[in-house]
């Protein structure tokens, strides 16, 4: 190549477009998402840029490759949502239109197996792929101008020959087989295309014939796919004949088609014959490269030679990531990978040749595939590569390689080499390509050629006859003129018809233009709407993408959760096993326990029977006890009734006792008053005696009678004083008696101690007088009362039972003030509750009222009376209990013996004093007491003897004398008045 040629090539390269490389990413299919193949490793940056994120991997040298993020640029990227129609419009529509201008195109799909190459090329009935849409576009462009005569037949990429010169038997046979059901399509030359239904975009003065060939490269063999099924097994490998100017596949069946349906049927027929098999990754994996060659021959009426253009659509077999198959499949895989490798190498070399000065040899011949593609790589056609991307994360490395290749191919520029084609002289028709401009051909051209050939024959005959004669030339000229005239007239008629047609077409076009304007307006509005919708669509797509990403994340999480679930299930299984073992052991234990339980149940039943028996016995016993209780209750009622009765009686006794006590107190008071009076009287008496002695002394001197009387009396006194010293007077005697009395009173035990059996035996109920006080004169004398003999006996009984006595102690007279309830509630424990009658007593006399249960229930203990005398005496001995009575008598006697003014009276009184003295000296003064006083027991112990005794002894006269004397004596008078007052008081108190 000289300098000029290289410069031209460089200029061409700069002006020429590069390879069109498209990426189409298929959506996830099957269970790919479930397998976690979506990991967002592919990122579409925009329409032309894509990025791949490679996870860390281990290469052959066991080195961990880091995460890499690779960006690539291609012509256009189509995502998962791209439809087949959209893809066709973007990829193949323009090339399809350009083949009508004579351009040759190669479209091949590249990619991993199962990446959607076949789907992209062929599609489905409902969603046709690029090939059906390409055919549809071609036939729409052809319109009604299909060449029914099929004048030329293509031979290889660059050549064509008239059909008249070739054998079409094979094509006819295949058509007959393919369209056996449609007889109208059988006769090949006479087929008339009816394209009224299809939109007609053709140019009127051109006629088109379309030829389709369909073959596969299987294990580096070229195998025709448009053969009858019976010949499939016997089909032979076709020979590829190739030089610098042409590439011809010898004996390749090329079938002319006259409408879209025929084309589709033929494609479908050939596709059915294609080699496919099931692989690990694809149910119907292509095991060969399928190539469809659509040839368009355009015959223009005004052009001398027809033009021919091709579009090669190639569905390459998938690049296998691993050679995992065996035998035939392994061979297929190896051949596929080799051919694809060669294809990529060719592109790489071409790309390198663009920049390097040293041009490397492109390895076209390394595979049949690249040999067939060679015309396109050397500039006789343009190439489109559609790379299908498998989005699975498993094949991300292969996908990355494919993208890398795509980016490289996209930068590869192939300079068109059509000038060379024009200069070549393989076949005449080939040289007349589209660069020479349109030339009318068609039927008229063919007839013209036939006429010309006839003329040539005539001329040759004339020449043979006489080539140099004038007639020969005239004849020739005339003939030529006729022919020219005929041609001119034909041409004129043709032009007139054509003009008329064109007028109609113009009118039609004007109408169409108006409609087009309307449609344009509509289109604009629709475009706006479309833009809005596109925006919305984009937003929706973004949303969908986000959703998809979320979904992918969820799927990933789900897979992780599943893994966890599996682990958990595994753990659970192990636990279940353990549990089962435990359950078995527990069952054994349960059996043992059940046996024990049954045994215990039997025992329980026995025990229950015994319990029932015992219950019955208990019930009987209970019944018996109940009867007993009833009977005891009745007895208790009776006892209670008796008790109430006894209590009533006791209350009566208490009332009586209280009454007697009151009376006794009064008596005591009276007695004290009387004693006091007595002392006063004694004083007066002493005074009187002294006075009387004085008088007596005075009268002694006067009268011997008086002396004699005095002597008598003195003798009497002397008689009396034999016991006592003679100097002691009566008063001293009285004093002595008083002292004795007082001594007796002092010596009286004021307290009845329990230690003293006698004292306790004769304990008096309540009579208590503080006799041990120093001044006994100031105190009332105690009048002791003795109770009945019965009480004495009972007291004795108490003494025998100290416990009952101690219990009886709290029962004092003082308790009478208490309520019945308190009396009942009083505890039986010993408690001293002696209440003094008038003064606080140091010698309490206890009154004990006790219910003696040992005795008759109706009876109560009587009140025991303790006389508490100095000399313990039996209770019946009342002599000691009546000292006061003796004193009383002594006083009475004193008053009786009170000396009067007369001597007789004085003598009587002295006698009485004597008797009184005698009486006081008696050890048994009680004998002289009236029986009412001595009488024991008695309801009252009021010493009623005093007034009676006084009444008995005193005479009215003596009373008078005494009273007179008292009234005469102022001191005695006062004493009497006091006495009267004192005696009146008890009566008031009694009231
Ligand atoms: N764009 C798409 N939309 C929906 N499904 C698709 C798409 N692309 C591919 N497929 C589905 O993917 C599966 C594989 O597709 P296809 O057979 O075309 O892959 P391939 O690249 O031709 O594989 P091989 O190279 O092994 O022949 C098919 O079931 C197909 O329907």
């Amino acid at each position: 190549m000289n300098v000029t040629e290289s410069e031209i090539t460089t200029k061409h390269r700069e002006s020429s477009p590069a390879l069109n490389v498209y990426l189409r990413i298929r959506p996830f299919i099957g269970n790919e998402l479930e397998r976690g193949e979506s990991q967002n490793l592919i990122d579409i940056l925009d329409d032309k840029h894509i990025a791949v994120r490679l996870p860390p991997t281990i290469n052959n040298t066991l080195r961990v490759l880091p995460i890499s993020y690779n960006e690539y640029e291609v012509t256009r990227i189509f995502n998962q949502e791209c439809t087949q129609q959209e893809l066709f419009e973007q990829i193949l529509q323009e090339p399809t239109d350009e083949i009508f201008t004579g351009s040759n195109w190669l479209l091949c799909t590249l990619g991993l197996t199962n990446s959607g190459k076949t789907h992209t090329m062929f599609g489905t009935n409902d969603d046709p792929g690029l090939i059906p849409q390409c055919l549809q576009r071609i036939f729409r462009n052809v319109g009604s101008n299909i060449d029914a005569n099929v004048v030329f037949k293509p031979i290889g990429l660059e050549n064509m020959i008239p059909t008249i010169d070739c054998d079409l038997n094979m094509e006819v046979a295949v058509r007959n087989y393919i369209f056996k059901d449609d007889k109208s399509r059988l006769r090949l030359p006479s087929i008339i295309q009816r394209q009224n239904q299809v939109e007609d975009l053709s140019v009127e003065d051109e006629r088109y014939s379309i030829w389709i060939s369909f073959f596969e490269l299987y294990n580096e063999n070229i195998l025709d796919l448009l053969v009858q099924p019976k010949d499939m097994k016997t089909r032979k490998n076709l020979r590829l004949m190739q030089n610098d100017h042409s590439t011809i596949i010898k004996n390749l069946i090329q079938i002319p088609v006259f409408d879209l349906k025929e084309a589709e049927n033929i494609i479908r027929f050939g596709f059915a014959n294609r080699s496919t098999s099931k692989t690990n990754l694809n149910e119907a994996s292509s095991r060969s490269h399928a190539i469809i060659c659509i040839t368009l021959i355009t015959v223009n009426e005004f052009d001398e030679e027809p033009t021919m253009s091709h579009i090669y659509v190639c569905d390459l077999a998938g690049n296998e990531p691993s050679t995992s198959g065996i035998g035939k499949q392994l061979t297929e895989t190896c051949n596929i990978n080799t051919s694809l490798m060669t294809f990529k190498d060719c592109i790489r070399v071409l790309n390198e040749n663009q920049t390097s000065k040293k041009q490397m040899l492109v390895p076209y011949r390394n595979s049949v595939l690249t040999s067939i593609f060679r015309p396109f790589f050397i500039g006789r056609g343009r190439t489109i590569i559609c790379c299908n991307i498998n989005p699975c994360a498993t094949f991300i490395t292969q996908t990355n390689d494919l993208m890398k290749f795509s980016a490289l191919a996209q930068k590869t520029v192939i300079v068109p080499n059509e000038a060379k084609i024009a200069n070549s002289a393989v076949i005449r028709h080939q040289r007349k390509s589209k660069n020479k401009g349109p030339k009318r051909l068609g039927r008229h051209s063919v007839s013209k050629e036939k006429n010309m050939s006839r003329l040539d024959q005539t001329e040759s005959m004339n020449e043979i006859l006489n080539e140099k004669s004038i007639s020969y030339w005239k004849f020739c000229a005339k003939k030529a003129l006729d022919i020219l005239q005929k041609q001119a007239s034909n041409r004129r008629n043709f032009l007139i018809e054509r003009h008329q047609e064109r007028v109609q077409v113009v009118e039609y076009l004007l109408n169409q233009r108006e409609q087009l304007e309307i449609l344009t307006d509509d289109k604009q509005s629709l475009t706006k709407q479309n833009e809005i919708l596109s925006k919305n669509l984009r937003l929706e797509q973004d949303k969908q993408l986000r959703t998809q990403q979320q979904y992918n994340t969820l799927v990933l999480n789900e897979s992780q959760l599943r893994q966890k679930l599996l682990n958990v299930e595994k753990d659970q299984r192990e636990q279940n096993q353990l549990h089962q073992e435990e359950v078995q052991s527990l069952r054994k234990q349960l059996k043992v326990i059940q046996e024990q339980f049954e045994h215990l149940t039997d025992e329980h039943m026995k025990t229950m029977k015994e319990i029932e028996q015992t219950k019955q016995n208990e019930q009987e016993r209970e019944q018996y006890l109940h009867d007993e209780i009833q009977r005891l209750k009745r007895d208790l009622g009776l006892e209670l009734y008796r008790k109430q009765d006894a209590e009533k009686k006791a209350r009566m006794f208490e009332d009586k006792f209280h009454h007697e006590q009151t009376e006794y107190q009064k008596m005591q008071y009276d007695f004290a008053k009387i004693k006091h009076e007595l002392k006063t009287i004694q004083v007066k008496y002493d005074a009187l005696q002294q006075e009387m002695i004085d008088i007596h002394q005075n009268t002694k001197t006067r009268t011997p009678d008086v002396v004699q009387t005095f002597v008598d009396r003195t003798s009497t006194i002397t008689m009396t004083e034999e016991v006592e010293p003679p100097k002691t007077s009566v008063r001293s005697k009285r004093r002595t008696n008083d002292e004795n009395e007082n001594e007796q009173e002092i010596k009286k035990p004021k307290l009845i101690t329990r230690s003293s059996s006698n004292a306790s035996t004769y304990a008096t109920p309540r009579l208590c007088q503080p006799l041990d006080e120093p001044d006994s004169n100031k105190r009332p004398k105690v009048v002791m009362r003795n109770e009945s003999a019965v009480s004495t006996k009972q007291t004795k009984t108490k003494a025998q039972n100290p416990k009952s006595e101690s219990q009886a102690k709290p029962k004092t007279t003082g308790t009478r003030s208490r309520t019945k309830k308190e009396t009942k509630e009083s505890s039986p424990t010993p408690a001293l509750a002696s209440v003094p009658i008038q003064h606080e007593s140091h010698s309490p006399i206890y009154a004990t009222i006790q219910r003696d249960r040992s005795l008759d229930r109706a009876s109560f203990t009587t009140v025991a009376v303790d006389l508490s005398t100095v000399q313990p005496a039996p209770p019946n001995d009342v002599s000691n209990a009546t000292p006061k009575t003796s004193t009383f008598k002594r006083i009475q006697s004193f008053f009786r013996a009170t000396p009067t003014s007369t001597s007789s009276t004085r003598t009587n009184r002295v006698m009485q004093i004597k008797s009184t003295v005698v009486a006081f000296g008696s050890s048994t003064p009680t004998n002289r007491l009236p029986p009412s006083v001595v009488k024991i027991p008695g309801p009252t112990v009021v010493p009623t003897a005093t007034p009676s005794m006084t009444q008995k002894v005193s005479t009215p006269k003596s009373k008078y004398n005494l009273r007179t004397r008292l009234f005469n004596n102022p001191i005695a008078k006062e004493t009497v008045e006091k006495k009267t007052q004192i005696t009146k008081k008890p009566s008031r108190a009694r009231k």
Side-chain angles (χ1 to χ4, degrees):
M1 186 182 288
N2 54 27
V3 179
T4 314
E5 282 180 347
S6 67
E7 284 177 354
I8 292 168
T9 308
T10 309
K11 281 182 183 177
H12 267 287
R13 184 169 291 150
E14 287 171 355
S15 60
S16 302
L19 285 178
N20 292 323
V21 180
Y22 300 97
L23 289 183
R24 188 187 190 191
I25 302 165
R26 77 155 166 82
F28 289 101
I29 56 170
N31 60 350
E32 287 174 347
L33 288 175
E34 294 169 7
R35 283 192 276 120
E37 294 287 1
S38 169
Q39 297 177 16
N40 298 322
L41 299 175
I42 300 170
D43 192 9
I44 300 172
L45 303 175
D46 55 34
D47 284 354
K48 293 187 176 183
H49 294 88
I50 192 166
V52 178
R53 188 161 51 86
L54 284 175
T57 53
I58 299 172
N59 64 357
N60 294 335
T61 57
L62 295 176
R63 281 181 56 201
V64 178
L65 300 174
I67 297 173
S68 60
Y69 187 79
N70 306 318
E71 280 188 26
Y72 302 108
E73 182 185 359
V74 294
T75 308
R76 180 82 190 262
I77 298 165
F78 301 98
N79 59 17
Q80 291 93 335
E81 284 76 38
C82 176
T83 61
Q84 299 278 47
Q85 188 181 353
E86 197 179 342
L87 189 73
F88 173 76
E89 288 171 1
Q90 296 290 330
I91 292 179
L92 206 55
Q93 186 169 310
E94 199 178 329
T96 305
D97 290 342
E98 282 192 10
I99 61 170
F100 283 87
T101 60
S103 296
N104 297 312
W105 288 89
L106 167 67
L107 169 66
C108 62
T109 54
L110 204 63
L112 290 173
T113 182
N114 199 31
S115 58
K117 300 182 293 295
T118 307
H119 179 81
T120 301
M121 283 296 180
F122 295 94
T124 58
N125 290 334
D126 301 328
D127 191 15
L130 295 177
I131 293 170
Q133 290 187 76
C134 177
L135 288 170
Q136 198 176 351
R137 183 77 185 179
I138 288 169
F139 279 99
R140 199 179 71 170
N141 289 340
V142 168
S144 60
N145 293 330
I146 190 78
D147 186 5
N149 295 319
V150 194
V151 183
F152 295 99
K153 178 188 174 184
I155 299 172
L157 190 67
E158 296 91 358
N159 303 314
M160 60 181 171
I161 58 169
T163 51
I164 198 169
D165 300 331
C166 59
D167 184 14
L168 293 176
N169 292 332
M170 182 67 79
E171 285 78 6
V172 171
V174 173
R175 272 186 65 92
N176 288 342
Y177 179 80
I178 294 170
F179 305 117
K180 57 187 173 188
D181 298 330
D182 190 356
K183 300 263 174 89
S184 63
R185 298 175 188 275
L186 294 178
R187 198 166 59 86
L188 182 62
S190 62
I191 292 172
I192 297 170
Q193 183 82 22
R194 294 182 181 86
Q195 297 286 350
N196 294 333
Q197 301 92 343
V198 184
E199 187 184 1
D200 190 354
L201 299 176
S202 65
V203 180
E204 286 286 325
D205 55 355
E206 289 176 341
R207 292 290 180 267
Y208 306 101
S209 60
I210 297 166
W211 295 78
I212 292 176
S213 61
F214 196 179
F215 61 96
E216 65 178 346
L217 304 177
Y218 178 72
N219 290 339
E220 293 295 300
N221 294 324
I222 302 171
L223 299 173
D224 206 329
L225 289 171
L226 298 178
V227 294
Q228 291 183 37
K230 61 177 182 181
D231 300 329
M232 279 295 290
K233 290 183 179 175
T234 58
R235 60 181 177 167
K236 291 181 180 171
N237 179 23
L238 301 177
R239 264 184 67 200
L240 176 66
M241 299 163 64
Q242 193 173 44
N243 57 21
D244 291 340
H245 306 290
S246 68
T247 302
I248 297 170
I249 300 170
K250 199 175 180 184
N251 296 327
L252 178 67
I253 296 172
Q254 298 180 90
I255 298 174
V257 291
F258 302 96
D259 58 14
L260 178 62
K261 192 176 180 182
E262 285 183 5
E264 287 175 350
N265 285 336
I266 286 167
I267 298 298
R268 204 170 289 129
F269 179 79
F271 187 78
N273 289 331
R274 193 182 177 192
S275 299
T276 56
S277 64
K278 183 179 176 181
T279 62
N280 294 335
L281 300 173
N282 195 350
E283 285 290 318
S285 178
S286 307
R287 310 311 297 166
S288 63
H289 308 300
I291 300 170
I292 294 171
C293 179
I294 302 168
T295 305
L296 176 73
I297 297 174
T298 307
V299 179
N300 194 311
E301 272 186 85
F302 304 103
D303 203 350
E304 292 178 357
E305 290 182 358
T307 59
M308 184 174 68
S309 56
H310 310 272
I311 180 165
Y312 274 57
V313 184
C314 181
D315 175 25
L316 297 178
N319 198 357
E320 298 274 342
S322 66
T323 53
S324 57
I326 51 167
K328 182 184 167 189
Q329 204 171 19
L330 180 62
T331 312
E332 289 169 1
T333 305
C334 288
N335 285 316
I336 290 166
N337 288 346
T338 305
S339 58
L340 291 173
M341 185 80 76
T342 308
F343 176 80
K344 291 176 184 175
D345 286 344
C346 292
I347 299 291
R348 276 192 202 100
V349 171
L350 286 170
N351 185 270
E352 286 179 14
N353 286 344
Q354 289 174 182
T355 52
S356 66
K357 291 180 179 177
K358 187 183 177 184
Q359 298 291 305
M360 291 193 294
L361 187 66
V362 182
Y364 302 117
R365 294 179 183 277
N366 286 0
S367 77
V368 179
L369 180 72
T370 47
S371 299
I372 292 170
F373 289 165
R374 181 172 174 270
F376 296 95
F377 292 153
I378 61 174
R380 291 177 189 169
R382 295 187 60 189
T383 305
I384 301 168
I385 299 172
C386 179
C387 294
N388 288 84
I389 302 295
N390 187 339
C392 295
T394 310
F395 309 114
I396 193 65
T397 312
Q398 290 82 0
T399 303
N400 182 55
D401 292 343
L402 181 63
M403 286 187 190
K404 198 172 179 182
F405 169 75
S406 303
L408 182 79
Q410 193 265 341
K411 291 174 186 169
T412 306
V413 176
I414 296 173
V415 180
N417 200 12
E418 289 166 352
K420 288 181 179 177
I421 297 168
N423 295 331
S424 66
V426 180
I427 296 177
R428 184 171 54 94
H429 293 292
Q430 176 63 33
R431 270 182 269 137
K432 294 179 179 176
S433 64
K434 62 183 169 63
N435 292 336
K436 290 187 175 179
K439 187 177 181 181
R440 285 185 162 277
L441 283 176
R443 279 173 297 187
H444 303 289
S445 303
V446 173
S447 60
K448 178 184 163 189
E449 291 221 353
K450 284 180 181 175
N451 292 333
M452 287 298 289
S453 63
R454 283 193 206 110
L455 184 63
D456 289 342
Q457 285 175 5
T458 309
E459 282 177 356
S460 64
M461 285 172 65
N462 291 332
E463 278 179 5
I464 293 166
L465 289 172
N466 189 6
E467 289 184 358
K468 294 181 180 178
S469 63
I470 296 171
S471 57
Y472 169 76
W473 285 107
K474 283 181 180 178
F475 177 78
C476 285
K478 193 181 177 181
K479 283 286 181 182
L481 188 64
D482 291 340
I483 290 166
L484 287 171
Q485 283 178 348
K486 278 184 182 178
Q487 283 182 346
S489 66
N490 289 337
R491 187 162 184 84
R492 190 175 63 249
N493 293 334
F494 171 73
L495 287 172
I496 290 167
E497 287 176 7
R498 189 179 171 187
H499 176 71
Q500 288 173 352
E501 285 176 1
R502 287 193 174 177
V503 167
Q504 289 176 357
V505 168
V506 166
E507 288 174 357
Y508 172 76
L509 285 173
L510 284 171
N511 289 330
Q512 289 288 318
R513 189 178 171 185
E514 288 174 1
Q515 289 180 5
L516 191 67
E517 285 174 356
I518 296 165
L519 288 170
T520 307
D521 295 339
D522 292 343
K523 189 186 172 187
Q524 283 179 353
S525 63
L526 286 170
T527 307
K528 287 179 182 174
Q529 289 179 6
N530 195 24
E531 284 175 0
I532 295 164
L533 287 171
S534 299
K535 280 183 183 176
N536 293 336
L537 184 68
R538 244 173 271 133
L539 290 170
E540 287 295 324
Q541 281 175 353
D542 291 343
K543 277 185 186 174
Q544 200 174 359
L545 263 176
R546 280 197 292 273
T547 311
Q548 183 74 27
Q549 287 174 356
Q550 289 174 358
Y551 177 74
N552 292 339
T553 313
L554 286 171
V555 167
L556 194 64
N557 291 337
E558 189 194 357
S559 64
Q560 290 173 354
L561 286 171
R562 279 195 180 157
Q563 189 62 36
K564 283 181 183 175
L565 190 68
L566 282 172
N567 294 334
V568 169
E569 280 179 355
K570 194 179 172 185
D571 294 345
Q572 273 190 347
R573 245 177 273 133
E574 290 173 357
Q575 284 181 0
N576 281 341
Q577 210 168 351
L578 289 171
H579 282 312
Q580 280 179 355
E581 288 172 3
E582 280 183 11
V583 165
Q584 282 180 356
S585 66
L586 285 171
R587 274 183 186 157
K588 285 176 185 173
Q589 288 179 9
L590 184 68
K591 269 185 182 177
V592 174
I593 288 165
Q594 275 181 346
E595 287 171 1
Q596 288 177 359
F597 178 73
E598 285 171 2
H599 178 66
L600 287 171
T601 307
D602 294 340
E603 285 185 358
H604 175 71
M605 292 302 290
K606 285 177 188 173
T607 313
M608 286 299 289
K609 281 178 185 174
E610 288 175 4
I611 287 167
E612 280 180 6
Q613 187 66 32
T614 313
K615 267 186 183 176
Q616 277 185 355
N617 296 336
E618 285 292 325
Q619 280 178 355
E620 287 172 4
R621 199 179 164 198
E622 195 178 343
Q623 186 64 31
Y624 170 73
L625 288 172
H626 185 259
D627 295 343
E628 280 291 310
I629 287 165
Q630 290 296 328
R631 190 178 61 76
L632 288 170
K633 273 184 181 175
R634 281 197 298 275
D635 292 349
L636 183 67
L638 196 60
E639 288 293 327
L640 282 172
Y641 175 73
R642 285 175 183 167
K643 181 188 166 190
Q644 286 174 358
D645 192 26
E647 280 176 354
K648 270 183 189 175
K649 285 177 182 175
R651 249 177 269 131
M652 281 171 61
F653 276 114
E654 277 182 3
D655 291 341
K656 279 180 186 176
F657 184 76
H658 182 66
H659 180 69
E660 286 171 8
Q661 194 180 17
T662 310
E663 290 297 324
Y664 175 71
Q665 285 176 359
K666 288 172 188 171
M667 267 178 59
Q668 273 188 328
Y669 185 76
D670 291 342
F671 183 73
K673 290 293 175 187
I674 289 163
K675 197 176 177 182
H676 181 71
E677 285 174 7
L678 182 62
K679 282 183 178 177
T680 311
I681 290 163
Q682 277 180 347
V683 170
K684 286 177 183 176
Y685 176 73
D686 290 340
L688 286 172
Q689 223 173 19
Q690 187 64 38
E691 194 181 322
M692 191 175 70
I693 290 166
D694 293 338
I695 293 165
H696 187 66
Q697 284 176 351
N698 291 332
T699 53
K700 194 177 177 182
T701 55
R702 280 182 262 166
T703 59
D705 295 337
V706 174
V707 173
Q708 186 63 39
T709 307
F710 180 71
V711 169
D712 293 341
R713 200 173 63 106
T714 308
S715 63
T716 307
I717 292 166
T718 308
M719 284 173 62
T720 310
E721 287 173 350
E722 285 174 3
V723 181
E724 294 175 0
K727 286 184 180 179
T728 53
S729 62
V730 176
R731 194 181 58 179
S732 64
K733 283 183 183 177
R734 279 193 205 112
R735 279 179 187 165
T736 308
N737 288 335
D738 288 343
E739 284 169 1
N740 290 333
E741 192 178 327
N742 287 334
E743 282 173 2
Q744 282 181 351
E745 285 175 355
I746 290 163
K747 286 177 182 176
K748 279 179 187 174
K750 276 67 181 185
L751 177 66
I752 301 168
T753 55
R754 268 189 218 105
S755 60
S756 171
S757 61
N758 293 329
S760 63
T761 306
Y762 304 111
T764 54
R766 68 170 65 180
L767 295 181
C768 172
Q769 190 65 31
L771 301 177
D772 55 348
E773 287 184 23
D775 190 5
S776 61
N777 295 331
K778 292 179 182 177
R779 293 174 200 161
K781 294 279 179 82
V782 177
V783 178
M784 308 302 289
R785 186 180 61 177
N786 200 354
E787 292 294 333
S788 64
V790 178
S791 65
T792 308
K793 285 178 185 176
Q794 287 170 355
T795 309
K796 280 180 181 176
T797 312
K798 279 182 192 175
Q800 290 168 2
N801 189 5
K803 189 178 178 183
S804 61
E805 186 187 2
S806 64
Q807 285 175 353
K809 277 182 182 177
K811 297 282 182 180
T812 61
T813 53
T815 56
R816 286 191 61 185
S817 60
R818 294 180 187 176
T819 59
K820 264 186 195 176
K821 193 177 175 182
E822 285 173 339
T823 310
K824 284 179 184 177
E825 287 175 355
S826 61
S827 69
T829 52
L832 293 174
S834 64
V835 178
I837 294 167
Q838 287 181 345
H839 304 283
E840 252 183 46
S841 175
H842 296 287
S843 59
I845 300 169
Y846 296 98
T848 305
I849 302 170
Q850 185 183 6
R851 181 175 175 182
D852 191 1
R853 294 182 186 181
S854 62
L855 299 174
D856 189 358
R857 284 172 186 167
S859 65
F860 287 88
T861 53
T862 56
V863 177
V865 178
D866 188 2
L867 295 178
S868 303
T869 54
V870 176
Q871 294 173 353
N876 290 331
D877 188 4
V878 293
S879 60
N880 291 333
T882 55
K884 291 146 191 103
T885 309
S886 61
T887 309
F888 199 74
K889 280 191 171 187
R890 188 172 53 87
I891 293 164
Q892 282 179 340
S893 63
F894 169 74
F895 276 103
R896 274 195 298 272
T898 302
T900 57
S901 57
T902 61
S903 60
S904 60
T905 308
R906 277 197 300 272
T907 308
N908 289 336
R909 209 173 63 181
V910 170
M911 290 304 290
Q912 282 182 357
I913 289 167
K914 276 184 179 176
S915 62
T916 303
V917 169
V918 171
F920 273 100
S922 176
S923 61
T924 56
T926 52
N927 296 332
R928 286 175 289 188
L929 284 174
S932 60
V933 176
V934 178
K935 190 181 177 183
I936 295 172
T940 57
V941 287
V942 178
T944 52
T946 306
S948 62
M949 285 169 68
T950 309
Q951 283 172 4
K952 280 181 182 177
V953 175
S954 64
T955 59
K957 191 180 176 181
S958 64
K959 273 185 184 175
Y960 174 76
N961 291 331
L962 181 62
R963 203 173 294 138
T964 307
R965 222 173 25 157
L966 284 173
F967 278 110
N968 293 328
N969 189 359
I971 298 168
K973 194 178 179 180
E974 279 180 20
T975 311
V976 171
E977 279 176 359
K978 282 181 183 175
K979 184 185 174 188
T980 312
Q981 284 176 358
I982 290 165
T983 49
K984 280 179 183 175
K985 278 181 183 173
S987 64
R988 279 182 205 147
R990 213 172 286 151
K991 283 177 186 176

